[in-house]
Amino acid sequence: MLNKVIFYTTLCILISSCSILNKQNNYKKPIDLLFQNKEIDSIKIHVQRDDKLCKDETNNNQDCPIKLYVDDFKSGEFFTNNEASYYLKPNEHILKVKNCTNECSKYELKIDLNNQLKYVNYVLSIDNESNPIIIQK
């Protein structure tokens, strides 16, 4: 009987550990990425999320990723320190970010890739009220 108790206790600890590790791994990469294929004449832009967390979040419990939209297409969800490169055609584009603070609240940045360098950096962050913002570097 004691062996069964030890076995089930050990099994529960292992399952709990795996679920905690799995949740931590969920934040290592952005999800739902679009515009990842490099095409002829496309311009590479690099997007990186900084390390600022929303209120009541921790590194191991991030419930409020920043959602990036390119020309109204949801193009990725970024947790802290995530980054991705996008390949966009030379044109004017609208970058928009939203997060869980208020779905109606968003930040937009108009970019013109016709007149910019071939490699552009953007940082996704949050302001003091946890509203998402985009900073061009």
Side-chain angles (χ1 to χ4, degrees), residues 3-63:
N3 286 339
K4 283 185 179 181
V5 171
I6 292 172
F7 172 76
Y8 286 115
T9 303
T10 304
L11 183 62
C12 288
I13 291 171
L14 286 173
I15 291 171
S16 296
S17 298
C18 289
S19 66
I20 290 170
L21 288 174
N22 189 31
K23 184 153 181 127
Q24 289 175 349
N25 288 336
N26 289 340
Y27 307 127
K28 291 188 184 258
K29 295 181 181 178
I31 55 175
D32 298 332
L33 295 176
L34 292 182
F35 303 104
Q36 297 297 292
N37 297 329
K38 185 176 183 177
E39 297 177 13
I40 296 174
D41 296 332
S42 64
I43 296 174
K44 180 179 179 179
I45 68 168
H46 186 77
V47 176
Q48 181 177 356
R49 166 102 187 252
D50 64 9
D51 61 353
K52 291 183 182 178
L53 292 165
C54 290
K55 296 173 187 171
D56 302 324
E57 279 191 315
T58 65
N59 282 325
N60 296 330
N61 189 18
Q62 298 182 46
D63 295 326

Side-chain angles (χ1 to χ4, degrees), residues 106-127:
K106 62 185 177 285
Y107 184 90
E108 292 184 3
L109 178 67
K110 186 175 185 177
I111 62 172
D112 185 354
L113 295 180
N114 292 314
N115 300 321
Q116 297 205 356
L117 301 174
K118 297 294 181 190
Y119 185 75
V120 191
N121 291 307
Y122 298 94
V123 176
L124 307 180
S125 189
I126 56 172
D127 64 16

